[in-house]
Coordinates of all heavy atoms in Angstrom, one line a residue:
L1 N 0.8 -1.2 0.0 CA -0.1 0.0 0.0 C 0.8 1.3 0.1 O 0.3 2.3 0.1 CB -1.0 0.0 1.2 CG -2.1 -1.1 1.3 CD1 -2.8 -1.0 2.6 CD2 -2.9 -1.1 0.1
K2 N 2.1 1.1 0.0 CA 3.0 2.3 0.2 C 3.0 3.2 -1.1 O 3.3 4.4 -1.0 CB 4.5 1.9 0.4 CG 4.7 1.3 1.8 CD 6.2 0.9 1.9 CE 6.5 0.2 3.2 NZ 7.8 -0.2 3.3
G3 N 2.6 2.6 -2.2 CA 2.5 3.5 -3.5 C 1.2 4.2 -3.4 O 1.0 5.0 -4.4
N4 N 0.3 4.0 -2.6 CA -1.1 4.7 -2.6 C -0.9 6.2 -2.1 O 0.1 6.5 -1.4 CB -2.1 4.0 -1.7 CG -2.6 2.7 -2.2 OD1 -2.0 2.2 -3.2 ND2 -3.6 2.2 -1.6
E5 N -1.7 7.0 -2.6 CA -1.7 8.4 -2.2 C -2.3 8.3 -0.7 O -3.5 7.8 -0.5 CB -2.7 9.3 -3.0 CG -2.7 10.7 -2.5 CD -3.7 11.6 -3.3 OE1 -4.3 11.0 -4.2 OE2 -4.0 12.7 -3.0
V6 N -1.6 8.9 0.2 CA -2.1 8.9 1.6 C -2.8 10.1 1.9 O -2.3 11.2 1.8 CB -0.9 8.8 2.6 CG1 -1.3 8.9 4.0 CG2 -0.1 7.5 2.4
K7 N -4.2 10.0 2.3 CA -5.1 11.0 2.4 C -5.0 11.7 3.8 O -5.4 12.9 4.1 CB -6.5 10.6 2.2 CG -6.8 10.3 0.6 CD -6.8 11.3 -0.2 CE -7.2 11.1 -1.6 NZ -7.3 12.2 -2.5
A8 N -4.6 10.9 4.8 CA -4.5 11.4 6.2 C -3.5 10.6 7.0 O -3.3 9.5 6.7 CB -5.9 11.4 6.7
I9 N -2.8 11.3 7.9 CA -2.0 10.6 8.9 C -2.6 10.9 10.2 O -2.7 12.0 10.6 CB -0.5 11.1 8.8 CG1 0.1 10.8 7.4 CG2 0.3 10.5 9.9 CD1 1.4 11.4 7.2
R10 N -3.0 9.9 11.1 CA -3.6 10.1 12.3 C -2.7 9.7 13.4 O -2.1 8.5 13.3 CB -4.9 9.3 12.3 CG -6.0 9.7 11.3 CD -7.2 9.0 11.4 NE -8.0 9.1 10.3 CZ -8.9 10.2 10.2 NH1 -9.1 11.0 11.2 NH2 -9.7 10.3 9.2
N11 N -2.5 10.5 14.2 CA -1.5 10.2 15.5 C -2.5 9.9 16.6 O -3.1 10.8 17.1 CB -0.7 11.3 15.8 CG 0.3 11.7 14.6 OD1 1.0 10.8 14.2 ND2 0.3 12.9 14.2
L12 N -2.5 8.7 17.1 CA -3.4 8.1 18.0 C -2.7 7.5 19.2 O -1.9 6.6 19.1 CB -4.3 7.0 17.3 CG -5.0 7.6 16.1 CD1 -5.5 6.3 15.2 CD2 -6.2 8.5 16.4
K13 N -3.1 8.0 20.3 CA -2.4 7.6 21.6 C -3.1 6.5 22.3 O -4.3 6.5 22.4 CB -2.1 8.8 22.5 CG -1.3 9.8 22.1 CD -1.2 11.0 23.0 CE -0.3 12.1 22.5 NZ -0.3 13.3 23.3
L14 N -2.4 5.6 22.9 CA -2.9 4.5 23.7 C -2.5 4.8 25.1 O -1.3 5.0 25.5 CB -2.4 3.1 23.3 CG -2.3 2.8 21.9 CD1 -1.7 1.4 21.7 CD2 -3.6 2.9 21.2
V15 N -3.6 5.2 26.0 CA -3.3 5.9 27.3 C -4.1 5.2 28.4 O -5.0 4.5 28.2 CB -3.6 7.4 27.2 CG1 -3.1 8.1 26.0 CG2 -5.2 7.6 27.1
G16 N -3.6 5.5 29.6 CA -4.3 5.1 30.8 C -4.8 6.1 31.6 O -4.3 7.3 31.7
S17 N -5.8 5.9 32.3 CA -6.4 6.9 33.1 C -7.0 6.1 34.4 O -6.9 4.9 34.6 CB -7.6 7.6 32.4 OG -8.1 8.6 33.1
T18 N -7.9 6.9 35.2 CA -8.6 6.3 36.3 C -10.0 6.7 36.4 O -10.3 7.9 35.8 CB -7.9 6.3 37.7 OG1 -7.7 7.8 37.9 CG2 -6.5 5.8 37.6
D19 N -10.9 6.0 36.9 CA -12.3 6.4 37.1 C -12.5 6.8 38.5 O -11.6 6.9 39.3 CB -13.3 5.4 36.7 CG -13.3 4.0 37.6 OD1 -12.6 4.1 38.6 OD2 -13.9 3.1 37.4
E20 N -13.8 7.2 38.8 CA -14.1 7.8 40.1 C -13.9 6.9 41.2 O -13.8 7.3 42.4 CB -15.6 8.3 40.1 CG -16.6 7.2 40.0 CD -17.0 6.8 38.6 OE1 -16.1 7.0 37.6 OE2 -18.1 6.3 38.4
F21 N -13.7 5.5 41.0 CA -13.4 4.6 42.0 C -12.0 4.3 42.1 O -11.6 3.4 43.0 CB -14.1 3.3 41.7 CG -15.7 3.4 41.6 CD1 -16.3 3.3 40.4 CD2 -16.5 3.6 42.7 CE1 -17.7 3.5 40.2 CE2 -17.8 3.8 42.6 CZ -18.4 3.7 41.3
G22 N -11.1 4.9 41.3 CA -9.7 4.7 41.3 C -9.3 3.5 40.4 O -8.1 3.0 40.5
R23 N -10.2 2.9 39.7 CA -9.9 1.8 38.8 C -9.3 2.2 37.5 O -9.5 3.3 37.0 CB -11.2 1.0 38.4 CG -12.0 0.4 39.5 CD -13.2 -0.3 39.0 NE -14.1 0.5 38.5 CZ -15.4 0.2 38.1 NH1 -15.7 -1.1 38.2 NH2 -16.2 1.1 37.5
P24 N -8.3 1.5 37.0 CA -7.6 1.8 35.7 C -8.7 1.8 34.6 O -9.7 1.0 34.5 CB -6.7 0.7 35.5 CG -6.5 0.0 36.7 CD -7.7 0.2 37.4
V25 N -8.6 2.9 33.7 CA -9.4 2.9 32.4 C -8.5 3.1 31.3 O -7.6 4.1 31.4 CB -10.4 4.1 32.6 CG1 -11.3 4.1 31.2 CG2 -11.2 4.2 33.8
L26 N -8.5 2.1 30.4 CA -7.5 2.3 29.2 C -8.3 2.9 28.2 O -9.5 2.6 27.9 CB -7.0 1.0 28.7 CG -5.9 0.3 29.7 CD1 -4.7 1.2 29.8 CD2 -6.4 -0.2 31.0
L27 N -7.7 3.9 27.5 CA -8.3 4.7 26.4 C -7.6 4.8 25.1 O -6.4 4.7 25.1 CB -8.6 6.1 27.0 CG -9.5 6.3 28.3 CD1 -9.4 7.7 28.8 CD2 -10.9 5.9 28.0
L28 N -8.4 5.0 24.1 CA -7.8 5.4 22.7 C -7.9 6.9 22.6 O -9.0 7.4 22.5 CB -8.6 4.6 21.6 CG -8.5 3.1 21.7 CD1 -9.4 2.4 20.8 CD2 -7.1 2.6 21.5
N29 N -6.6 7.5 22.4 CA -6.5 9.0 22.2 C -7.3 9.7 23.2 O -7.8 10.7 23.0 CB -7.1 9.3 20.8 CG -6.2 10.2 20.0 OD1 -5.0 10.2 20.3 ND2 -6.8 11.0 19.2
N30 N -7.4 9.1 24.4 CA -7.9 9.9 25.6 C -9.4 10.1 25.5 O -9.9 11.1 26.1 CB -7.1 11.1 25.9 CG -6.9 11.3 27.4 OD1 -6.9 10.3 28.2 ND2 -6.8 12.5 27.8
K31 N -10.1 9.2 24.8 CA -11.6 9.5 24.5 C -12.3 8.1 24.9 O -11.8 7.0 24.6 CB -11.8 9.9 23.2 CG -11.3 11.2 22.6 CD -11.8 11.5 21.4 CE -11.4 13.0 20.9 NZ -10.0 13.3 20.9
R32 N -13.3 8.3 25.7 CA -14.3 7.2 25.9 C -15.1 6.8 24.7 O -15.1 7.6 23.7 CB -15.0 7.4 27.1 CG -14.3 7.5 28.4 CD -15.2 7.4 29.6 NE -14.4 7.5 30.9 CZ -14.5 6.5 31.8 NH1 -15.3 5.5 31.6 NH2 -13.8 6.6 33.0
W33 N -15.8 5.6 24.9 CA -16.6 5.2 23.7 C -17.7 6.1 23.2 O -17.8 6.3 22.0 CB -17.2 3.9 24.2 CG -18.4 3.5 23.3 CD1 -19.7 3.6 23.5 CD2 -18.3 2.8 22.0 NE1 -20.5 3.1 22.4 CE2 -19.7 2.6 21.6 CE3 -17.3 2.3 21.3 CZ2 -20.0 2.0 20.3 CZ3 -17.4 1.6 20.1 CH2 -18.8 1.4 19.6
D34 N -18.3 6.9 24.2 CA -19.5 7.6 23.8 C -19.1 9.1 23.4 O -20.0 9.9 23.1 CB -20.5 7.7 25.0 CG -19.9 8.3 26.3 OD1 -18.6 8.5 26.4 OD2 -20.6 8.1 27.3
A35 N -17.7 9.4 23.3 CA -17.3 10.7 22.8 C -17.6 10.7 21.3 O -17.7 9.7 20.6 CB -15.8 10.9 23.1
P36 N -17.8 11.9 20.7 CA -18.1 12.0 19.2 C -17.2 11.3 18.4 O -15.8 11.2 18.8 CB -18.1 13.5 19.0 CG -18.5 14.1 20.3 CD -17.9 13.2 21.3
V37 N -17.5 10.8 17.2 CA -16.6 10.0 16.4 C -15.6 11.1 15.8 O -15.9 12.2 15.4 CB -17.4 9.3 15.2 CG1 -16.5 8.7 14.2 CG2 -18.4 8.4 15.8
T38 N -14.4 10.7 15.9 CA -13.2 11.6 15.4 C -12.6 11.0 14.2 O -11.9 11.7 13.6 CB -12.3 11.9 16.6 OG1 -11.9 10.5 17.2 CG2 -12.8 12.8 17.6
E39 N -12.6 9.6 14.0 CA -12.0 9.0 12.8 C -12.9 8.8 11.9 O -13.8 8.0 12.0 CB -11.2 7.7 13.2 CG -9.9 8.0 13.9 CD -10.1 8.5 15.4 OE1 -10.9 7.9 16.2 OE2 -9.7 9.6 15.7
K40 N -12.9 9.6 10.7 CA -13.9 9.4 9.6 C -13.2 9.4 8.2 O -13.3 10.2 7.4 CB -14.8 10.6 9.7 CG -15.6 10.7 10.9 CD -16.5 12.0 10.9 CE -17.3 12.2 12.2 NZ -18.3 13.2 12.1
P41 N -12.5 8.3 8.0 CA -11.9 8.0 6.7 C -12.9 7.9 5.5 O -14.0 7.5 5.7 CB -11.1 6.8 6.7 CG -11.8 6.1 7.8 CD -12.3 7.1 8.8
Y42 N -12.5 8.3 4.3 CA -13.5 8.2 3.2 C -13.2 6.9 2.5 O -12.1 6.2 2.6 CB -13.0 9.3 2.1 CG -13.6 10.7 2.5 CD1 -12.7 11.8 2.9 CD2 -15.0 10.9 2.4 CE1 -13.2 12.9 3.1 CE2 -15.5 12.2 2.8 CZ -14.7 13.1 3.1 OH -15.2 14.5 3.5
L43 N -14.4 6.4 2.0 CA -14.3 5.1 1.3 C -13.3 5.0 0.1 O -13.4 5.9 -0.7 CB -15.8 4.9 0.9 CG -16.0 3.5 0.1 CD1 -15.8 2.3 1.0 CD2 -17.4 3.4 -0.6
G44 N -12.5 4.1 0.2 CA -11.5 3.9 -0.8 C -10.2 4.7 -0.6 O -9.3 4.6 -1.3
S45 N -10.1 5.4 0.5 CA -8.9 6.3 0.7 C -7.8 5.5 1.6 O -8.2 4.4 2.2 CB -9.3 7.5 1.7 OG -9.7 7.1 3.0

C-alpha cells in the first residue's frame, strides 16, 4: 500500500487513566466510547 496516495496521517495515543473509583481505565486517544466520532476516513482512501 506504500504506493497509494495517503489522504491522512492520524496520530493516536494508547493511554491510561482512572475512574471515580480509582480503577484503571484504558483509552484510545484519551476518549471514551461515547465521545463524538473523530476518525472518519473516506471510502477507498
Side-chain angles (χ1 to χ4, degrees):
L1 297 178
K2 291 180 183 178
N4 290 11
E5 180 186 358
V6 175
K7 292 290 188 180
I9 297 174
R10 300 186 190 271
N11 297 307
L12 303 163
K13 293 177 184 176
L14 317 182
V15 306
S17 181
T18 56
D19 67 8
E20 67 271 30
F21 302 107
R23 297 180 297 186
V25 184
L26 283 305
L27 300 171
L28 298 171
N29 227 27
N30 219 27
K31 291 181 173 63
R32 291 197 178 232
W33 165 261
D34 55 4
V37 177
T38 47
E39 286 68 55
K40 299 181 179 182
Y42 282 110
L43 181 63
S45 69

